[in-house]
Amino acid sequence: NHSGDYRVQMLAGLIESGSGSASAAEERLITASRLAPGKTEVYIELARLLGNAVIDRKGEAVKYYEKARALGADPVPDLEKPVY
């Protein structure tokens, strides 16, 4: 059982996202962020997911992107313009 491994949760979230299951992807990525609150890549992927949401969730996307940046993540070009 690898449910406590943030990398497994993050990968599952990316797979869910790629298959069009945004809500399942969000759940997995939020779980990953709880398991590893200092891992910037999780917040980057949450920002990407929410920034591309069909309904307007850009405010949430900005929150996760800013958290990743505050934790020391480098700027992500594909998130700099679309999110802001």
Side-chain angles (χ1 to χ4, degrees), residues 39-78:
K39 297 295 184 179
T40 60
E41 62 265 32
V42 176
Y43 299 108
I44 296 294
E45 293 307 330
L46 269 165
R48 274 198 180 109
L49 177 71
L50 297 174
N52 292 323
V54 174
I55 58 172
D56 186 16
R57 299 192 65 190
K58 299 228 185 295
E60 291 173 86
V62 168
K63 177 182 84 168
Y64 286 117
Y65 183 65
E66 287 176 347
K67 182 163 186 144
R69 295 284 289 133
L71 288 168
D74 291 331
V76 178
D78 67 305

Side-chain angles (χ1 to χ4, degrees), residues 5-6 11 21 23 25 27-28 40 48 55 61-62 68 70 72 75-76 82:
D5 185 335
Y6 89 93
L11 181 58
S21 300
S23 62
E27 287 178 33
R28 295 287 195 155
T40 60
R48 274 198 180 109
I55 58 172
V62 168
V76 178

Side-chain angles (χ1 to χ4, degrees), residues 3-15:
S3 62
D5 185 335
Y6 89 93
R7 293 168 295 204
V8 171
Q9 293 295 322
M10 190 170 101
L11 181 58
L14 294 174
I15 291 168

